[in-house]
Amino acid sequence: MAARGTAQGQGGAGFTEGSILKHIVTTTLYGAIGLMTLFLVDLADLYFLSLLGQEELAAAVGYAGTLLFFSTSICIGFAIGTAAMVARNIGAGRREEAERLVLHNALATLVLTIPVAVVGFIYAPEFLAALGAEGRTLELAIVYLRIIFPSMPLLALAMAGGGVLRANALPRLAMWSTVGGGLVNAVLDPILIFGFGLDIVGAALGSVGARIAVFAIAWYGVVKRAQVLGRFQAPYFLSDTWPFLAVAMPAIATNLATPIGNSIMIKALATHGDDTVAGFAIVSRIIPVAFGTIFALSGAIGPIVGQNYGAERYDRVRTALWTAMAFSTLAVLLPALAFYLLEGQIARVFHATPGAAEVINIFASGVTLSFIFVGALFVANAAFNNLGRPLWATLSNWGRATIGTLPLVWLGDRYFGVTGILWGQGLGGVIFGIAAFVAALWLVHRRKLVAHPEADERFFRLPLQATTIYRGWIPSGAALRESEQGKDNPKR
């Protein structure tokens, strides 16, 4: 089966050989181009709406965007589950199983996202009011949300299709799906917002059109180019769904932590006025554009880790993590500098009020550097999801979003106002990014010892064997393998 895939140019286990750096850079840049296209259009939405001169429109998009982030996080979780299962089977040479999983996981995704879309549509007013939206801002946010939310199942399938393409080492196809969606949105936005005078309704309809385009292009790639869509086999559906959910549900829980953290931020900023929320909405749209590379890296590194894990190439997995971290750091430093130099122009372009301009200025003046550690967290979470420890990703993200955000934001707000809120969230990212990355390296080390008993080496190579074993910090290879028997199976 593998030979067939290679011969037909269908991709396959291409990440188990060749330069790790080349795989990371190529896959990430393809993903970044696609993501940045979509995020630029989101930014354009906000820009077009700002030209209408109504502060409530930008604030409404900020409130609705927080809830849409919840739905997008659920979609990303299902996409991660699909990509992890497919990549692992392809890396192990089980292409026929991978093809079957593509269809079964897609069907499970569809069934599970429809009820979420219904709940979001019905209870949009209550959710938005809980975030602090009120008056005309609340009314506009409800309209915007109720147009976009029903397309959530389509977005979930579109993301799953992109994940399948990346798992088959075909990142260029995944890129074109998102680029195509971005172009559709870019064309529809000015036509609907200004040509038909639909304002926020036009922006929402443009976003729905983009999702339809991403879905169509991604699944064209899955079916026609990758040729990895299997047939429905009822006896295997449930047995395929449970392992998929074992990865997807923790991944969803992991991703939901981010909008929870943003909700805390919105709630805190709302006490300082709608213009402050509008400023955060502008920053929230700029972040994915400026730092789109690290967002793309989180999706790119997963299949690379998954394929090499399936092939038991543990040294390549470790190299991939370190290489991704170095690449992520560089990808943050350059746009952070640009953000610092251009923050005044950004405020003027978006016609920011003084309160909104203050948020942009604070963020540009140093908070951007915390994304180095957010990148470390993304890389670590991708490793957790593909190495059989998705709950670790859940814990790291929720730790950042709760104890890494709530107390620091509360203290910052109390003593430093808006400045303290933004820096509080940034500091939480630093703490949990470092902790998660160290944990990911340790997990790779542990997997290698379990799979290869002859590799009796230590994670920290220090001459303190007796002390560290006694204290329980660094168990010996023999002790570790004994503790792992019946608990960890790297081929599971």
Side-chain angles (χ1 to χ4, degrees):
M1 300 299 291
R4 174 176 67 86
T6 304
Q8 294 181 9
Q10 296 168 307
F15 296 134
T16 58
E17 303 293 340
S19 167
I20 290 287
L21 176 61
K22 181 179 178 181
H23 289 322
I24 288 176
V25 172
T26 302
T27 308
T28 301
L29 290 182
Y30 281 138
I33 292 171
L35 282 177
M36 286 181 182
T37 302
L38 288 179
F39 292 140
L40 274 170
V41 174
D42 282 344
L43 193 61
D45 280 353
L46 201 58
Y47 171 71
F48 289 139
L49 292 174
S50 72
L51 294 179
L52 298 175
Q54 301 178 43
E55 180 184 295
E56 296 88 350
L57 288 173
V61 172
Y63 285 114
T66 301
L67 291 178
L68 288 174
F69 204 167
F70 276 95
S71 66
T72 301
S73 297
I74 293 172
C75 296
I76 291 172
F78 284 125
I80 288 172
T82 300
M85 298 302 296
V86 173
R88 192 179 303 173
N89 280 278
I90 288 176
R94 299 188 293 267
R95 185 177 179 86
E96 192 169 323
E97 291 183 32
E99 292 176 352
R100 189 185 72 227
L101 285 169
V102 170
L103 179 61
H104 288 179
N105 292 352
L107 290 174
T109 296
L110 183 64
V111 169
L112 293 170
T113 52
I114 289 175
V116 180
V118 172
V119 171
F121 181 87
I122 294 173
Y123 292 101
E126 289 80 1
F127 292 147
L128 290 165
L131 289 176
E134 55 186 19
R136 185 164 182 269
T137 299
L138 174 61
E139 295 173 3
L140 292 169
I142 292 172
V143 171
Y144 186 76
L145 197 65
R146 281 185 163 169
I147 292 173
I148 297 180
F149 224 100
S151 65
M152 177 189 170
L154 200 64
L155 177 64
L157 290 177
M159 289 185 168
V164 170
L165 293 174
R166 284 188 290 272
N168 278 270
L170 295 169
R172 186 181 300 179
L173 286 173
M175 176 197 75
W176 280 116
S177 67
T178 49
V179 168
L183 293 176
V184 168
N185 203 344
V187 171
L188 290 178
D189 267 357
I191 294 174
L192 296 173
I193 294 174
F194 299 112
F196 289 92
L198 295 178
D199 297 350
I200 201 168
V201 172
L205 291 174
S207 296
V208 174
R211 293 182 174 191
I212 294 172
V214 175
F215 168 80
I217 298 171
W219 282 91
Y220 170 82
V222 170
V223 175
K224 296 296 184 180
R225 293 290 302 279
Q227 296 182 22
V228 73
L229 182 64
R231 294 178 301 170
F232 179 75
Q233 299 179 45
Y236 292 100
F237 181 68
L238 289 179
S239 61
D240 286 343
T241 298
W242 294 124
F244 160 66
L245 292 179
V247 176
M249 297 310 288
I252 289 171
T254 300
N255 284 288
L256 284 177
T258 301
I260 287 291
N262 281 348
S263 297
I264 294 172
M265 292 289 290
I266 286 286
K267 190 73 173 177
L269 291 169
T271 62
H272 296 271
D274 272 356
D275 57 344
T276 304
V277 174
F280 189 70
I282 294 171
V283 167
S284 297
R285 292 302 189 279
I286 293 175
I287 286 173
V289 176
F291 305 112
T293 302
I294 66 169
F295 286 90
L297 178 62
S298 65
I301 191 65
I304 295 173
V305 170
Q307 283 197 10
N308 283 284
Y309 172 49
E312 297 190 1
R313 303 289 302 275
Y314 295 99
D315 289 340
R316 285 178 65 84
V317 174
R318 183 183 178 89
T319 300
L321 296 185
W322 277 113
T323 305
M325 187 63 245
F327 182 67
S328 174
T329 300
L330 181 62
V332 169
L333 290 175
L334 295 178
L337 177 60
F339 208 128
Y340 175 75
L341 295 174
L342 299 174
E343 60 93 6
Q345 289 87 327
I346 291 171
R348 285 192 291 272
V349 165
F350 286 92
H351 303 86
T353 61
E358 180 189 7
V359 173
I360 297 170
N361 175 264
I362 295 167
F363 185 80
S365 298
V367 179
T368 49
L369 295 177
S370 67
F371 277 83
I372 292 174
F373 303 95
V374 173
L377 185 68
F378 287 168
V379 171
N381 286 343
F384 296 150
N385 286 324
N386 284 273
L387 292 172
R389 284 290 181 268
L391 286 177
W392 289 21
T394 304
L395 291 174
S396 65
N397 251 28
W398 275 92
R400 177 197 170 208
T402 53
I403 61 176
T405 298
L406 185 58
L408 294 174
V409 166
W410 180 80
L411 287 171
D413 188 17
R414 181 172 181 179
Y415 293 103
F416 303 102
V418 175
T419 300
I421 293 173
L422 295 175
W423 276 101
Q425 186 187 44
L427 181 58
V430 172
I431 296 170
F432 281 87
I434 293 173
F437 190 74
V438 171
L441 292 174
W442 169 239
L443 179 59
V444 174
H445 177 77
R446 193 169 84 170
R447 291 301 197 200
K448 181 178 180 180
L449 288 185
V450 174
H452 301 287
E454 70 280 4
D456 196 0
E457 58 184 30
R458 304 195 175 282
F459 182 50
F460 296 110
R461 294 175 178 82
L462 300 175
L464 300 172
Q465 179 171 343
T467 302
T468 52
I469 291 174
Y470 173 75
R471 294 296 182 187
W473 289 98
I474 310 176
S476 67
L480 176 60
R481 287 189 294 276
E482 183 178 347
S483 70
E484 289 290 319
Q485 286 180 357
K487 182 177 69 173
D488 282 335
N489 183 356
K491 295 183 180 180
R492 184 174 300 170

